[in-house]
Structures are given as structure tokens and as C-alpha cells.
Amino acid sequence: MNTAKMLKKMSRSLWAFHINAGSCNACDIEILATLTPRYDAERFGIKLVGTPRHADILLVTGTLTEKIRENVLRVYHQVPDPKLVVVVGGCGSTKGVFQESYAMAGPVDTCIPVDVYIPGCPPRPEAIIYGVVKAWLKIESLEKDNAAAS
Amino acid sequence: MSKSTSTFPLSIGPTHPAFKEPVKFSFEVDGEKIVRTDMDFGYTHRGIEHVARERNFIQVIYLLERICGICSVSHPMAYCLAVENAAGIEVPPRAKYVRTIIGELERLHSHLLWTGVAAHEIGFDTLFLHTWDIREKVMDCLELLTGNRVNYAMLTIGGVRRDIAPEHYGILEETLDYYRELYNRTREILLEDLTVQMRCRDIGVLTYEDAVALCAVGPTARASGLPKDVRIDYPCNAYPDIEWLRPASPRDIGKEPRGDVFDRMIVRVLEMKQSVEIVGFCLDNMPDGEIVVESKAIKLINQLKKVKGDGLGRYEAPRGEVAHFDILDEREGPAQIKVKAPTYSNAAAWAVMFNGAEIADIPIIAASIDPCIACADRMTVIKNGCGGLSFTAEELHRLSVEKQKRIKATCGNS
Amino acid sequence: MRELLIVIAFSLGLLVLGIFLGLFIRGIDRKFAAYFQSRVGPPLLQPFYDLEKLMIKQTIIPENSVSWIFRGAPVLALASTSVLLIYVVLPYLYYLHGSSGPFLTAGDLIVILYLLMIPAISLIAGGFASGSPYATVGAQREVVILMSVEVPLAIVVIAVAWKMSQAAGGAHPFSLLTVASNPIWTGMGPMGILGGGLLVLTLMAVVPAETGKVPFDQAEAETEIAEGLLAEYSGKYLALYGLADAVKSLAFTALFVVLFFPHGFTDLTGFRIVIAGGDYTFALDILLFIVKVIIVYTVAITAVRVAMARLKISQAAKLFLITLSMLSIAGYLLIYLDPRISGL
Amino acid sequence: MIEHLPILAITVPLFAAFLLPIIEKAHFRARNAAALLAILSVNVMVVLLALRLSREGAPLVYVLGAQSPAQILPQGLDFPIRIMLKIDGFSIFMALTSAVVVLVSYVYSMKYVPEDPRKNYYTILLMLMLVGMLGLEFTNDLFNFFVFLEILSISSSALVSYSYNRKFSPYAGYKYMMISAVATSFLLIGIAFFYSQYGSFNIEYLHGVIRFTLLDKIALIFMVVPLAMKAGAIPMHMWVPDAYSEAPAPVTAALVSASQASLYGVFRLSFSLFGNPVSDVTLNYHTLGWIIIVLGVLSMFVGVTMALVQHDVKRLMAYHAISQTGYMLLGVGVGVVVYMDPGGAAYAAFGRDAMMGGIFHIMNHAFYKGLLFLTSGVMVLRFGTRDLNKMMGMAHRDTFTTLCFIAGALAISGVPPFNGFASKILIYESVYRFSPILAIIAMFVSVLTLASFLKVFYGAFLGPRNEDIIVIDEPLPATVTAAMGVFCFLVLAMGLFPGEVLKYLVEPAVAGLVPGR
Amino acid sequence: MLASVYKIIEQFFTEKSTNLFPAKRKPASVSEFLARKPLIAPVPTPPDYRGRLAFDYQACIGCAMCEKVCPARAIEMYPVIEKEKRTKRIVIYLARCTFCSECVKVCPRDAITMSGDFMMADYDRNSPSLVVGLEERRKNEVAPEEKPDTPQE
Ligand code: SF4
Ligand code: SF4
Ligand code: SF4
Ligand code: SF4
Ligand code: SF4
Ligand code: SF4
Ligand code: SF4
Ligand code: SF4
């Protein structure tokens, strides 16, 4: 089975592991909020798991500080393939408001490959869900590319 | 069934599901019992105080707002108060009331959020989902008033940026009624549930003496029977007008404070009610008038550019006292800011609380002071640090004194 | 010989059905849990999706682990739960069908007690073998749970068997068939019913502990020890554990039903469904059985796990070793005294 | 030839023991081969005896020095004077156990015990242990019983302190020796009481004429208590942990069997000598049974709780041996209590099962505990210590040992499909009919057993690979693996086909112990 | 104890709180779903929601006040020639923006406005959809002057 097909199967059941890479907590609580009854991300088979080994999708918030960099990298490698990385929030995407800080190693994509960026500071829970929709779309287009190639 | 004489190390964090923020605890564990605790902070240190020196007064508000997103009014509030103190700006009364309303709504959401997180930590997901479901109402309200659910961008030096328009009153009142109605029910669910009590009673005890000695602040201090509340002790905004405001205490519902996790929950539940009443009071007594001294940002910056001096701003964040000390030195932005965050004060209490606790208690004890590592992370060792970089208390004090002198010398005022 | 082959084929069929049903009930569980929490919840087939995904994911064997135990444990867990399922359900089906087969004398309650332990043991072995401190703590907790649950569980089993030995005249008191054909409630006075109620209550508390659900999911506590036992598992092996869990939950709730509510359709109504000369009661019985399993599952697992916080391991152990043991002994005593008192 | 098998089974190893030093002069390999041959031949003989017994049904009697071995009563006398061997189902059951265990232990120790000048003594002593065990299991003569017990004790205590360079080995051996000496002297006094009253040593004869005088009762105490002590039952178990843990692993395995030979003595004397259900003037079976039950439950519980806190892997296993002995006592005790039930209904219903469970457990225990001790030998070999805290990661290298350990641990915890389960379920289900609480205790002890073996499993076998703490890094000798393999096979096979074992071995054993009603 | 039990039973039977944005379940084909079916609406944003920024190229006069107040340095100025005068225009990097609306407020010509749109997720943080005013920049940007022109002050 090729990777794209696998991803397609995966997309109905995305288990997320959340890393706080030096965020201000706003994005983190909005991620948690997506699980609450109002938004209920479990509808899509999304759930937060407690260990990267179970994860399919890494939700990274925050700017990636120097000190956490190693840990983020380690967690990334602990996630079994295939995996997706979604950066939630502006500061993870671009360092946001913390430009010029000496403590930053970020943004996140300087450390691990990122698939979807969700701007906003913080994004609404629904914006995060929309980010997931984008991730599904990416998976689908990957599959199409693969089908076309073969 | 561990090897009962030997302890083993268990480190939790910095990426651990129990902590929504990166912090690393290293425990020495004997079976399930904790023998020794060590903490490592600094994973979210973002050099904010440093960055602030490169920004102008307006930009700094939004920077400080992102010290922590949970009570994102508190830091800008303390900052604004500090700058206003330094520059001698008098905030219009209406702005004071709006500030209070936003601050209290935020306290409400923050406490609900905390309750949910605490419930999640003890594995009670239904309660977590329920409190967060309730919380959506105040989030909607805040979104309506400020334009965003979190990080409200509401405060500015000399006032607030948005007024509470007449059409908002109805919705606000409705929200308050919603919470008043829910209060008893929610209190029952939180405070009378058997499993919650089993997990929280007599866990993570911080005695009154320890609370005093370790300078605990906020609900953590109040749960230990220490009546400490900046809103009452050093009132700002609309608080001086609210005569009935008292520090919450488990005594209010007839329980002697034991300083355990459960008491912290009681205090927070009581404060939710307090917040609702404060917002109600503010709505009823809202003065008319301007909401900001100077609405033009550029003009404001230019005004502040003329100021030389320093100011202190203190505000009771949901987690306790947050204090900002700002030095203005005829620049476009603050010459120096110093942040004292509530978790910074409370973190020392952790060591006492963890003593003799079980592994299972770690998350709930850690959560019980409602930690906000993001704002407490004022120092870090980056780039292959650790190696030999440690100071004794005396050395640290000497360094502090030297630094203080340096600052005094450069700023030229006391 | 031929009979044996039939039994084997039947068992395999049962197993496939059991896995399917187990996952399906897990879906119902998640759906109901969501409803209890005022949410829409995942689709009913979500467990299947999850499984499908896990099967295709990369499976990482941690460097520190003892690889062959790490790999073997989930397989053993699934195998033993499968045996457990067959062992519980097959005699009951025979009973419902009213026929006899080579497994008839099997379905021994004590064997079941031990079979119940094997998945837990393999989980523990797997957890210890994964070499992560979280998994180690989880495994230690699982050991404690395993030990403390055993006491009330054993008392319940013994109490039921005692009742059976009275009812069935001493023949095979431990056999599930005896249990199924002599519902425990028959011929009981009010005290016996009360005692039976206590036993039901005890077993209700044992269900989440045996299946590792809140409030007894200490071994996999997400917020404390990062999924504990399963912390290092991924991909296929995690899927196997998922399957084993689904099958075990099903088997245990089925055991619950057989122990306390074995009544078939005919037992309840006195009718047999005969359509066009064919007797369809059996089909109805099976349906009834599944419904009963789902009800027990919802009450004992779903409702409990949404209405409670996770207990600490010390509290859980105390609950089982003291409170529930007392409760079940009281239940046993009541059942024991019942004929004596009612007889007076 | 075939009719002389009973005495041959005892004399072959005995003579082998004396011949070995001579053979060793040629080459130590020759000695090894001879010893192996001797033990193997004993095994074959025991098996043949078993076959013959099952064919004939009645106990085999062998009279030494008579015209024909089957001639019991000399002309003109109405009681037997000659030394007599009597082999019934129980004897052969025990003999099989002992022979197999000694065989496996010997195979294990061929390479495991290093080849040095003292190895000779080791082999000889092992032979003598076999002689002692088989002798006391076969004999029908009280004095011979004493003699064989002495042989067994002396050879065992010498073997316990075989690793004399360890600090505690001589001490443990000495302790064992002292205890044995005390025990056997009391036994001798008891025997003397009998001889003084009835003028015979023949068990069967004594059984017929015993009058239960005060002296007889004192004799009972003098004889049964020391034997129970040597079997390692509570409260006289204190020697067990020391002896078991200090002896080299294969010796410990054999020691388990030796203790069971003493247990055999307890049962044999209380049933075949004192027990007389037919006559009125008899021992109170009810009391005897309850004493056995209480001892059993205590042994079970104390053994397992002590085991839980041990860090020394062999001590831990030793305490489990005590605990498991409790199961045997429990099973047999329940059988005894209900034996006297009026009408024998209860005995028919479950007493026999209890008895069978208890006796079956003897063999099972010898095998799985032997297996466990053998694996502990590998642990000691690898890590040079018995301290669990200093071991880790064995599963990374010794896969087969790990498997064997798992099999043994699951068997001792009574998890299907291993042999421990087969006997334990018999015990549970029958004991439960007698008293449900006892059954619950028995089950709970099993769970605790499991927990403590999980601890060993975690401590020694799991954890990261750590080469620094490995003392000996060579692959295991084939004999060691083979020995463990045999036990492992037996543990599994007896668990998978308990029916056959029960039918061909255990039932005759029970029949031999208690005459059918 | 009973309060929470009562609560969950009540919740089982009452209407669920969930807002089904964007669809109740994951659609079988997301691209088709997005193309054809209308999305279920999200929880409505309030009138003054601080969402995606819009930039009116024509209105802007290049005064750089927005750049000055932007805390995240999300606004970048580039040189253009408008009405034959050298001036500047801006682009806003949304992935960097904190949506504080300072720029909106400070702009003398109301050239920057905010909308209620929050669905901004993308695969590239600098993708055209996340850079406001990029199209105009591509059209109008000119090379910077040799000597950087001094600001008005
Ligand atoms: S993007 Fe904004 S809200 Fe989110 S973590 Fe970063 S600073 Fe906080
Ligand atoms: S502690 Fe120093 S480096 Fe850290 S934010 Fe403050 S001033 Fe900057
Ligand atoms: S006071 Fe604490 S909780 Fe409040 S905004 Fe600041 S850091 Fe966050
Ligand atoms: S104290 Fe903590 S919670 Fe408060 S703002 Fe700072 S980091 Fe956030
Ligand atoms: S050294 Fe001084 S300024 Fe720094 S934390 Fe200590 S008391 Fe505060
Ligand atoms: S001298 Fe400076 S460092 Fe020392 S206590 Fe005073 S303020 Fe703190
Ligand atoms: S909204 Fe704020 S952060 Fe965004 S571009 Fe405008 S000023 Fe900058
Ligand atoms: S403030 Fe307004 S006019 Fe000035 S550069 Fe920015 S967008 Fe243009």
C-alpha cells in the first residue's frame, strides 16, 4: 500500500499529540476547546492521546524556544509514520509577536517539517478544525497525485 | 510491587500530557510515593522582557498580552497601570469599569477553564467537557465585547480600546443570569462529587504557615486561609467602589481552610460567583464618558516619549498577583520592564505540596496552583547551559544588587 | 471427531463475530459516552477506522525494549481473550440452543478466572518489557489492580457456585452451563435477592477494573503516566491490544450476563417462536443476549466511566480489597442464609 | 530380573556412588557418563515398576533375603521379620518424581557445576540423595525409613554447602545438618517406641496391631513433626530459605524433591501407619485433617507474603516452595477430614478430588519449582549475584531461559495451560465444597504468587540490556538448556494432558495412600 | 455524586451542544464536499470580530503608521510609484499577525479593515492567501531607490 492510500485511511482517525513549544497557552486552550462539546472534534475521529507513539498528527503551538527544541525533535521522531504536523497559531508559524528574541529557535518549520499552518493568535477552535479540513485535503491531493503517477 | 528499598527516578515533562505547558519535574519515586522533587523551568522562556525594550509602548501591550493567553488581560493591565503610574495618566472612570468587566469575565473563564483542566487531570473527562461547555458562554461574551475569544487586545494605556455598547448590555445581563442560574448546580457537581473529593481532599496541602513563608498568592494563598487579594489590598480600576468585596475563603461555605487541592477548588468556585456579581455591579453602576485618554496611538507614544520615571502596576490575575515595574526613559518604549507573575510566586509551594504525594497526585497538585509556566518562565539557560552554571544564594543576591545598581546608574533615578 | 471439527469451526466463527461485535459495542460505548457529555460523538464505526489506521501505521519497537516479549505480549493478549470469549459464550449458546457439545462440561468458572488474568499478565509483561518508566509504573499499577480485583471477583464466583451447588444438586457447580440453566434468582427469598444485588454491584465495579476503564484505568492513566502500559506501543501491536481490549470487554460483559441474567427468551415469556415449522427462538435468544450485553456494557462501563474520576491506585486497591470484598461477602452470606431464613 | 527391580533401583545408584571415584580415575567424562547411565537406568527401572504396578493392580512387595521376593511371612511366624520393600501407587508416584528430578538436576549440573576435584563428591552425593529418596519411598520398614532419611539428610546437607567459598553456604549446610539431625533423632525415638511395644519395624504389620496407647500418640508426634519440619511446612520452615538459596541451583531442584520425600513420609506415616479407618480405636482423622489444613493454609500465606518482600531470587523461590507445600497439605488435609464423613458421601463427592489435587501438586511442584530453580541458576551464572536489584535485561540474551522462567512462573501461579493449574483447579473446586473461604484464600495466594514472580520477571529479565553487569557471557551449555527444556516440556505436557497423568499416576497414588472405601 | 449522575443522564436526552461545522462527519471526499455542499455554518462571529485583514491599495497613502504600531512586525512596506511619486505600500503577513487591529485603528485612510473570516489555514505560511496585498505588490513593486528615502519626519 502506498503512503497516500495509507494516509487516506488515517484521515478518518487522526490521533493528535499536542506539544507546547513555548506558546502563550492561548492556542493550547483553543486546541483543548476543539474537543469540548461545542466543537467536538471526536466527530471526525480526532482525539488527543497521551504519548507520541499513538499519534498520527502533531499539534505544535508556540514559537519553539531554544530549550524545547531538542524535545520537539525527539517527540517528532517518536511518532510513527505516516505523520502530519500542524502548527497552530501565528507564533509557531513565524515567531509572531516574539520577533528578535534571543531565546527563539523557531519558527517550528526550522526544526520539523510542517504540513499545515493555522494562523491566528490564537485561531478559533473552528479555525483549527478548518486546519484539519486542510490536512484532509492535502491527504486527498496526495492520493490523487499518486494515482495519476501510477 | 517495586523494589521496595530502592527508589527510581521519574521525570515528567517537558512534553507530557498532564501539563499543557512545558515544564520538567524530576521526581525520586518509591513505589508510588514521591520522595524528592526537582523542577526545571525555562522551556517557554521567550525573552519577553528583552523584546519589550525593542518595542514602542503600544506594541508592548500586545507583546505582554502574549506572556500568557489564559488571563491575557492581567499582564497588559498591570503594564498599563505601571505606565499610567509613571506618566501620571488618569484613566477615565468608564474605562475603569470596562477594564473591570473584562478582567472579571476573564477571571470567570479562567476559573472555569481551571476546573475543567483539574477534572481532566483526575480523569474526570465529563466534568472537564461540561465546565468547558459552560465556559463557551463567557467566551462568546468576550468575543462579542473584544473581537476575539482569547488575547483580547482590549486595553491600552490610558483606557480601553472598545466601549461596551448599549446593545451589549442585554447579552451581558443574559450571560450573568445564565451563570447565576447554573451556579448552584455546578457547585454541587464540583464540590459534592464523591470521586472529586476522594482525589482532592487532603492532597497537596499547603499550610497557612507555609503559604506565608513561601509567599503564595492568589487562590492558592486564599485556600490556605491567607486573605490576600490585590483587588482588595491595593485596589485599582472599579474595585475601590465595590465595598462588599472580600477575599474568598473556604470559610464562606463553612469549611475550615485546610490548604489542600479541594480548598483551592472551593475558592475558585466562590470566586466565579464573585466575578459574576462584580460584573453585575459594574454594569449597574457604569459611569458615562470617555473610554480612553488618548485614542491616537502615535500621539500617545509621542506623549509618553517625554516621560522619565518609573511606575509599578499590580493586578490580581486569576492566579494571583501579577506586578509590573516599568522604567520610562524618554524613549518610544519602556526602557525596562520587570514582570512578577503569580506562578512565579506559587511555584515554590509545589515543592512542599509534592512532599509525600503519590504519582497519581502529581498532575492534580501541579494543576492546583493553576500554573502558568509561560509567564513564570523569566529565566532560562539556553544553548548547552547547565554545565556548572549555578549560583549560591549569596552569589545571586550579590549579582542582583549589582544589576540593580547598574540599572539605577543608567536610568539615573531611584 | 466430526463434532470436534464443528466446535472448532464454530469457535472460529464466534471469534470473528466476537471481534466484530466487540468493536461495534466499543463504537456504541463511545457514542453513548459522547451523548452523556452532550456531544455528537464519533461515528459508530469509529473503532473500526481506528483499527484500520493502526494496522497501516508504522510499528516502532523501542530500543530499550525486550523486543520479543514486547511483540509477543499483544499477540498473547488477543489469543487469550479470544479463548476467554469462546469459553464464556460457547456453553451459553449451547444452553440457549438446548443442544449439547463437547464443550459442555467446560465453561468452568475457575478456568475463566484464570483466563481473565492472562491478558492482564501479558499487558504487564509488555509494559515491563517496553522499558519506559511510564510503562513500568503502569505495569506495577496493573499488578496491584490484578491482585486486588481478584478477591471480590473470586468471592462472587464462589457465591454463585455455592448457589448453583444448591440448585443443581451438586452437579458441576462451577460450570457455566449450570449457571445458565439455573438462573441465580430462581427460588430466592427477599434476602437472597438482596444478596444477589450486592453481588451484581460488586461485579459491576469489577467490570471497569478488568477492562481498564475509568475509574480504574490507573494503568493507562493518560494524564498521569502518559498512557502507562501502552506508552511505547504503536501501530499493529497497539491495534492488537485494542482488539484484545474490545474482545475482553465483550467477554466480560457476556460473563456478567451469563452469571446474573442468563434467561433466554423462552425462560422469560414461555413462548417459542415457531414460524413455518421452523423454530426461530434461538435467533431471538441470541439477539436478546446481545441486547443484554449492550445494556450491561452501557451501565457498567460507559455510564461509570463518564460519571467518575479516576481513583488513585491506593484507593482502588482499598476499594476492592476492603469495601467490595466486604460487600460481596455480605452478599454471599445473605444468599447463604436465605434458604435457612425463608425456610423458617 | 524384573522381580528384583525394586531393590535394584536402590542399589544401582548406591553402588554407582561407590564406583564413581574409581571410574573417575580413568577420565572425568567416563565418570559423568557412568553417573548419567546409573540415573537413567534408575529412571527406566522406576518406569518399568510403574508399568508392572499398573498391570498387577496390587502393591508390589519385595522381601529381602527370602526364598522368593514375594514371600512375606517366614514359615512359622505370624509377623514379618525380614526387611521388606512395598511399592504402591503413592510410592511409585513419588519415586517417579524423585528420579526425574534427580536426572534433570544431574544433566543440568554436568556443565553447570565446574569441573574441579570436588566434582566427584558432588556426583556421589547426588547419587546418594537419589538412593535416600527412592529408599524411603519404597521401604516398608520403619528402621530402613530412618536409615534412608539419614542418607538423604547427610548427602543433602553436604550438597547445600557445596559452594563452600561463598560466605553463607557452610552455615546453611550446617543449619540444615543440625535440623536434620534433630529431626531424625526424634524419628528414631518414635520408631523405638514402636519397636519396644510391638517388636517390629514393619509398617504394614504395625498398622494392623497398633493400639493407640499414649506412647503411640507420643510416637506419632515424634515422627510426624520432624518429617513435617523436613518437608518445610510452617512453622518449622526456617531452614528452607537458607538451604535452598545457598545450594547450587541443580541441588536446590533436587532438594525440593527431597523435601517432598519427607512430605511423603508425613503422609505415609499418618495414613499407612496410624490411619486405620476400620477399627474404632483409631486416630482422630478429623483432628489430623484439620491440623494438616491449618498448617497448609499457614504455609501458603506466610510463604507467599515472605516471598513478596524478598530481593534474593532464590530465597524468594524458596519461600514459594513453602507456600506451594501449603497447597499440597491443604488438598490432602481436606481429603482427610472428609474421609471420615459418615457414609463417605462427601469423600466420594470431592474429598478424593482434593486428595488427588494435593498429591498431583507434589509432582507438579517438583517439576515447575525445579524449573524455576534451574532458571535461577542461570541468573546467578549471568549476574554473579542473587540480588534481584542487581539484575536486568536477561530477556535480551537468554531467550530460552526467559521462556522457561515464564512457563515456570505461570505454572506456579496456576495459570492455564501449565501443570500448576491442573492440580490447583482440582484443589480449588474440591476445597471450595469443603469451605469456600479456603478456596478464596488459595486463589488469592496464587495471585500473590503471580505478583511476586512478575516482580522477578521485571527485575531480572526486563529492563535495558546492560552488558556491564554480566559476569559470564558465554552461551549456555547444551546440558543446561536441555535440562530446563525437559522440565519445561513436562510442565506444559502435564498441563495440557492432566487427564492421563491423573488416571495413570495420581489415582493409584491416592488408592495406595487410603484404601478405597 | 448524584449531581453529576443526574447531569449526565439529563445531557443524554437533551439537545447536544455541538455545532456541526463544517460537516457532521468527515466527508468521504473532502475536495468534492468543499466544492459542492455548503458548509454547515460555524458559530457566528460577532460584528467586530478581528479576523482576516483586507487592504485597500487605492486608499493607502504609505504613511507607515501601521508598520510602526504593528507589534508582530507583520506589515512590510515596499516601494511603489503612484501618481508619479515615489511612495510605499504594504503587505501584511497573516501568519505573523496577532490580529490586534492596531493597524486598522491607526490607519488615517482606513485602508486596512478586518473581516469575520477566520479560516486561514494553509500549507505554506507565505502562500498568497496568507499575504494580504501580495497581488498588488507583484503588480506595482518597483526597485528600491539607491539612497533610502528618508521618512516624512
Ligand atoms: S500564536 Fe499567539 S496565541 Fe498562539 S501561542 Fe502564539 S502568541 Fe499565543
Ligand atoms: S529574564 Fe532577562 S532575558 Fe528573560 S525576559 Fe527578562 S530580561 Fe529578558
Ligand atoms: S497573570 Fe498569569 S494567567 Fe493571567 S495572563 Fe498573566 S500569566 Fe496568564
Ligand atoms: S502566570 Fe502563568 S498563567 Fe499567568 S500569564 Fe503567566 S504563564 Fe500565563
Ligand atoms: S534575585 Fe532579586 S530580583 Fe531576582 S528573583 Fe531574587 S529577589 Fe527577585
Ligand atoms: S538590594 Fe536589590 S536584590 Fe537585594 S533585596 Fe533589595 S532589591 Fe532585592
Ligand atoms: S492586526 Fe496587529 S499584528 Fe496584525 S498587522 Fe495589524 S497591527 Fe500588525
Ligand atoms: S497606516 Fe494606512 S495609509 Fe498608512 S501605510 Fe498603513 S495602510 Fe497605508
Side-chain angles (χ1 to χ4, degrees), chain D residues 186-391:
Chain D
F186 273 103
L187 187 71
L188 191 61
I189 297 173
I191 292 172
F193 283 161
F194 272 107
Y195 193 67
S196 62
Q197 288 186 80
Y198 308 109
S200 172
F201 289 123
N202 191 299
I203 296 178
E204 200 169 7
Y205 170 75
L206 288 173
H207 180 206
V209 299
I210 192 166
R211 289 192 302 273
F212 283 96
T213 60
L214 181 65
L215 216 50
D216 287 344
K217 283 179 183 155
I218 295 172
L220 171 71
I221 293 169
F222 273 28
M223 292 164 82
V224 169
V225 170
L227 283 171
M229 179 152 126
K230 289 218 62 192
I234 298 284
M236 297 146 299
H237 63 284
M238 52 290 165
W239 62 271
V240 174
D242 289 326
Y244 279 20
S245 61
E246 287 302 332
V251 174
T252 318
L255 270 182
V256 174
S257 202
S259 300
Q260 287 173 342
S262 307
L263 196 65
Y264 165 88
V266 175
F267 291 152
R268 176 58 82 202
L269 292 186
S270 19
F271 286 92
S272 303
L273 179 58
F274 290 93
N276 191 348
V278 195
S279 84
D280 284 343
V281 276
T282 181
L283 186 65
N284 187 340
Y285 262 74
H286 202 72
T287 319
L288 177 70
W290 269 106
I291 290 171
I292 296 181
I293 290 174
V294 168
L295 280 185
V297 170
L298 276 179
S299 304
M300 257 156 63
F301 219 84
V302 174
V304 82
T305 39
M306 291 298 293
L308 275 173
V309 299
Q310 298 302 321
H311 297 277
D312 176 333
V313 59
K314 288 181 78 182
R315 274 190 100 78
L316 184 144
M317 289 181 181
Y319 277 109
H320 279 300
I322 297 172
S323 170
Q324 296 303 312
T325 310
Y327 280 93
M328 305 161 204
L329 292 174
L330 178 65
V332 174
V334 167
V336 173
V337 171
V338 296
Y339 189 49
M340 278 311 282
D341 205 43
Y347 182 74
F350 62 86
R352 210 179 146 72
D353 281 353
M355 202 100 171
M356 278 179 20
I359 286 173
F360 190 17
H361 205 62
I362 296 181
M363 183 183 261
N364 290 340
H365 179 228
F367 291 167
Y368 63 63
K369 189 39 79 58
L371 177 59
L372 284 171
F373 274 123
L374 295 189
T375 58
S376 82
V378 180
M379 293 179 212
V380 176
L381 189 76
R382 284 279 180 248
F383 300 106
T385 173
R386 300 196 306 260
D387 188 348
L388 275 175
N389 291 342
K390 295 188 184 136
M391 306 179 179

Side-chain angles (χ1 to χ4, degrees), chain B residues 18 32 122 126 198-199 361, chain C residues 141 223 306 310 312 315:
Chain B
E32 285 266 331
I122 58 174
T126 309
M198 280 173 85
R199 289 299 307 271
D361 297 328
Chain C
R141 290 179 172 191
T223 50
V306 299
R310 177 186 311 118
K312 287 198 282 188
Q315 291 168 336

Side-chain angles (χ1 to χ4, degrees), chain A residues 102, chain B residues 45-51 53 336-338 377-380 403:
Chain A
Y102 56 88
Chain B
H45 174 85
R46 288 154 296 170
I48 287 178
E49 294 177 358
H50 169 83
V51 175
R53 294 199 292 204
Q336 180 92 42
I337 64 169
K338 269 282 157 219
D377 258 359
R378 301 268 65 89
M379 193 172 89
T380 184
K403 186 179 174 190

